[in-house]
């Protein structure tokens, strides 16, 4: 059998849907294989039930330093041996220990306390957009600035640095930047965070970097770990939330009945919260598969995954698995969607998920209520998607009102 | 219904506290879950079952009578 190349390209007829070949595998070939950039053929798990079982199975490891680990890209494979121990490359019990050292600022109640501030940020950005020219690019006006401002505050970067911070991080994550520009921005952010760590060691505040600085002083974390972690939070929390805000808006504009439903229920927090879960499910922006390596032989549907084999979990496939979500290709803001895998599943499930939820609840709950006439300023077919990368998104979203 | 919580497994994602706030909370210093009510009343069964189902670390086990 010839394996499909992975990540696969989506059909342009529906850019929101996982590739048809992937959906076929969910139906007919639940323990299949795909071919990745280095020619290797890791196992490919697409069913919701199988992902739930395996992503919590201690026989699967996220240790990216092991031979046979199915790396995302050549660059990742090259840098993996040099990474310090992080939550993103360790298994329990080490993972549990590390994750608990960085978790406090992302707790539900800490994040809920940020909600009024996030609302303020969003209202200001909407005011600015409405005062500016039409059409506007929603990615630049709302999508990117919301997570930038939120993460800047969570990390504890002082307000006067926020322009620099915003500019540098945009270059870093923008699909339009060259690799050289991105590398330069990466170094600038690294230097900035290192200096921020020093400042927060001397004068701690109520923020993530101060918390990590205290842990460095207490010997619970090394300095490079703290800087790498701050950087990881910045990157992981940025593009993802930005994509969700812009793509979610586009998906709603394509489904006007659902947009109307959301607009009419904007003041019902329960409705908005479920709408966020459904958009997370429907869009599943982390679309290049999360990766693990088998520690021991694992039997699944009569097939044996051998110790040392790579395994890829396609989250979008599980979220479009009709066995779990009937008529999965329909965006249905009323369906129970909370068990989606958009944030992954198992111990590595997204650290920032509560924060992302609040950002998206505020964004979706506010945007269409305040701009009820929001409309695309170009034909749908001309909206430029950014499909490369770990998460997919939009290069721009021209809107008018 | 009795809740059995396997604390060493908890990755402090707080899903439980979000879904069933009266039954679970998170410890202030690291976010590890705290069971506020290990034998919740029937009016809470649905949300507690949902909490167990969404817990990404499978740290919540329910012993149903
Ligand atoms: C809608 C927005 C987001 C989506 C869809 C998303 C998605 C994901 C997914 C799928 C994983 C699991 C990776 C794996 O298992 O290999 C993950 C992990 C992670 N995410 Fe997110 N994320 C989002 C927002 C955020 C935010 C706002 C932050 C931080 C501020 C963040 C920080 C992290 C970190 C640090 C991890 C690694 C956790 C671990 O390995 O223990 N993410 N995210
Ligand atoms: S949902 Fe599970 S992992 Fe998350 S805090 Fe609750 S018990 Fe811990």
């Amino acid at each position: 059998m010839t394996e499909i190349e992975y990540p696969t390209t989506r059909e342009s007829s529906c850019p929101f849907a996982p590739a048809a070949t992937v959906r076929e595998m969910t139906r007919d070939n639940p323990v299949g294989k795909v071919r990745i950039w280095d020619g290797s053929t890791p196992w490919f798990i697409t069913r919701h039930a199988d992902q739930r079982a395996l992503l919590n199975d201690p026989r699967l490891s996220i240790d990216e330093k092991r031979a046979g680990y199915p790396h995302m890209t050549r660059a990742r494979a090259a840098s993996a041996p040099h990474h310090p121990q992080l939550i993103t490359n360790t298994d329990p019990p080490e993972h549990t220990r590390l994750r608990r050292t960085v978790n406090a600022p992302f707790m539900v109640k800490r994040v809920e306390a940020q909600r009024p501030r996030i609302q303020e940020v969003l209202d200001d950005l909407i005011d600015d957009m409405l005062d500016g020219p039409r059409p506007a690019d929603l990615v630049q006006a709302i999508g990117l600035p919301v997570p930038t401002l939120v993460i800047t505050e969570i990390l504890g970067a002082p307000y006067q640095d926020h322009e620099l911070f915003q500019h540098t991080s945009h270059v870093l994550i923008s699909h339009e930047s060259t690799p050289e520009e991105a590398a330069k921005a990466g170094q600038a952010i690294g230097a900035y965070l290192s200096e921020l760590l020093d400042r927060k060691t001397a004068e701690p505040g109520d923020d993530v970097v101060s918390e990590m600085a205290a842990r460095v002083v207490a010997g619970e974390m090394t300095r490079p770990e703290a800087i790498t972690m701050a950087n990881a939070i910045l990157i992981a929390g940025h593009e993802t939330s930005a994509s969700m805000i812009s793509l979610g808006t586009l998906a709603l504009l394509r489904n006007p009945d659902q947009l109307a439903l959301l607009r009419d229920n904007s003041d019902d927090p329960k409705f908005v919260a479920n709408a966020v879960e459904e958009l997370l499910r429907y869009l599943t922006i982390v679309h290049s598969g999360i990766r693990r390596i088998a520690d021991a032989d694992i039997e699944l549907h009569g097939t044996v995954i051998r110790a040392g084999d790579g395994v890829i979990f396609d989250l979008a496939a599980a979220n479009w698995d009709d066995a779990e979500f009937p008529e999965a290709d329909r965006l249905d803001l009323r369906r129970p969607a909370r068990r989606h895998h958009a944030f992954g599943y198992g111990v590595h499930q997204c650290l920032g998920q509560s924060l992302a939820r609040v950002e998206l609840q505020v964004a979706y709950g506010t945007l269409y209520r305040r701009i009820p006439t929001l409309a695309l300023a170009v034909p749908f077919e001309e909206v430029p998607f950014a499909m490369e990368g770990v998460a997919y998104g939009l290069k721009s979203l021209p809107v008018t009102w | 219904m009795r809740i059995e919580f396997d604390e060493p497994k908890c990755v402090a994602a707080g899903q439980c506290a979000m879904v069933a706030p009266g039954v679970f909370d998170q410890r202030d210093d690291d976010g590890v879950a705290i069971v506020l009510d290990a034998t919740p009343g029937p009016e809470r069964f649905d949300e507690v079952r949902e909490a167990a189902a969404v817990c990404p670390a499978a740290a919540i086990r329910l012993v149903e009578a």
Side-chain angles (χ1 to χ4, degrees):
Chain A
M1 200 176 98
T2 53
E3 292 86 12
I4 60 168
E5 300 279 332
Y6 190 80
T8 42
T9 322
R10 295 161 191 247
E11 287 85 39
S12 53
S13 54
C14 181
F16 298 129
T21 45
V22 169
R23 296 201 75 200
E24 272 158 33
M25 287 179 80
T26 311
R27 212 172 41 235
D28 307 330
N29 187 15
V31 198
K33 287 194 157 199
V34 290
R35 185 173 301 275
I36 61 171
W37 62 275
D38 62 354
S40 66
T41 53
W43 297 100
F44 190 62
I45 309 299
T46 54
R47 288 191 182 166
H48 189 271
D50 293 341
Q51 292 194 357
R52 272 181 94 81
L54 287 185
L55 283 170
N56 239 327
D57 191 320
R59 291 173 299 178
L60 279 169
S61 164
I62 200 168
D63 184 353
E64 61 182 3
K65 296 180 166 82
R66 270 193 225 182
Y69 186 88
H71 290 281
M72 198 82 75
T73 59
R74 182 182 305 274
R76 289 266 204 121
S79 66
H82 312 292
H83 294 163
Q85 299 272 81
L86 294 169
I87 55 174
T88 47
N89 61 15
T90 48
D91 298 315
E94 181 65 1
H95 172 264
T96 321
R97 189 187 70 74
L98 287 173
R99 185 147 162 157
R100 287 180 185 188
T101 66
V102 293
N103 187 66
F106 298 100
M107 281 163 56
V108 175
K109 46 187 160 194
R110 295 274 298 269
V111 167
E112 275 301 328
Q114 305 265 346
R115 189 186 287 269
R117 178 64 193 126
I118 296 174
Q119 182 71 55
E120 224 171 78
V121 164
L122 202 83
D123 279 320
D124 289 350
L125 290 168
I126 295 179
D127 287 341
D128 289 349
M129 186 171 93
L130 292 177
D131 285 345
R134 275 179 290 180
D137 175 7
L138 193 103
V139 172
Q140 296 297 333
I142 314 278
L144 279 171
V146 170
T148 311
L149 291 169
V150 169
I151 301 243
T152 311
E153 292 192 14
I154 293 227
L155 285 176
Y159 191 77
Q160 66 263 27
D161 296 343
H162 116 284
E163 289 279 326
L164 165 136
F165 206 67
Q166 180 151 349
H167 172 73
T168 323
S169 44
H170 282 195
V171 174
L172 201 59
I173 63 169
S174 166
H175 294 273
E176 314 278 70
S177 311
T178 65
E180 293 74 36
E181 286 168 342
K184 216 170 126 219
Q187 280 163 9
I189 286 281
Y192 180 85
L193 290 172
S194 164
E195 195 206 314
L196 187 63
L197 190 67
D198 289 339
R199 266 188 284 152
K200 296 291 178 178
T201 310
E203 277 177 69
D206 180 20
D207 54 66
V208 174
V209 174
S210 296
E211 225 150 302
M212 290 200 290
R215 298 206 189 250
V216 171
V217 172
E220 293 169 16
M221 215 177 179
T222 67
R223 217 185 127 78
E225 274 171 0
I227 294 167
T228 314
M229 197 57 225
N231 213 336
I233 289 170
L234 180 68
I235 307 289
H238 218 128
E239 181 168 17
T240 44
S241 298
S243 292
M244 276 303 299
I245 293 173
S246 310
L247 271 178
T249 300
L250 182 62
L252 288 164
L253 289 170
R254 280 291 268 181
N255 292 270
D257 57 321
Q258 297 295 307
L259 178 57
L261 199 60
L262 177 53
R263 191 192 300 122
D264 296 345
N265 288 284
S266 288
D267 54 357
D268 176 354
K270 277 219 161 93
F271 186 93
V272 174
N274 196 65
V276 167
E277 302 305 322
E278 171 65 352
L279 281 156
L280 284 162
R281 178 199 72 80
Y282 182 76
L283 297 166
T284 319
I285 55 170
V286 174
H287 72 153
S288 47
I290 62 173
R291 286 127 195 269
R292 303 291 189 265
I293 184 166
D295 233 0
D297 291 358
I298 300 169
E299 208 207 297
L300 183 64
H301 302 305
T303 302
V304 180
I305 295 172
R306 297 275 169 214
D309 286 354
V311 185
I312 295 183
F313 296 87
D314 189 287
L315 301 174
N319 282 346
W320 282 58
D321 178 351
D322 286 308
E324 179 69 22
F325 302 105
E327 294 185 70
D329 55 350
R330 262 189 51 216
L331 178 68
D332 173 5
L333 301 184
R334 291 187 195 274
R335 86 162 77 224
R338 233 182 169 288
R339 294 181 196 194
H340 65 71
H341 290 175
F343 290 122
Y345 189 72
V347 299
H348 294 279
Q349 193 183 55
C350 184
L351 174 73
Q353 58 183 294
S354 302
L355 178 63
R357 284 191 166 99
V358 173
E359 284 180 67
L360 296 175
Q361 287 165 8
V362 171
Y364 299 151
T366 310
L367 261 174
Y368 324 118
R369 173 174 57 77
R370 286 205 48 199
I371 321 178
T373 57
L374 191 73
L376 270 181
V378 297
F380 178 77
E381 293 68 33
E382 285 171 25
V383 176
F385 278 76
M387 289 295 190
E388 70 288 355
V390 173
Y392 83 106
L394 296 175
K395 289 180 179 151
S396 69
L397 180 61
V399 292
T400 188
W401 55 90
Chain B
M1 175 193 282
R2 197 177 72 251
I3 300 173
E4 290 182 351
F5 173 49
D6 190 352
E7 191 193 293
K9 276 192 178 172
C10 173
V11 292
Q15 297 289 295
C16 53
M18 199 176 328
V19 176
V23 182
F24 299 95
D25 194 2
Q26 288 181 280
R27 207 153 72 190
D28 281 335
D29 55 339
D30 57 11
V32 169
I34 311 167
V35 181
L36 299 174
D37 182 359
T39 52
E43 72 287 356
R44 294 209 148 126
F45 284 1
D46 280 352
E47 58 185 53
V48 172
R49 287 192 192 111
E50 181 72 4
V54 296
C55 171
I60 300 170
R61 219 169 66 85
L62 303 180
V63 184
E64 307 239 10

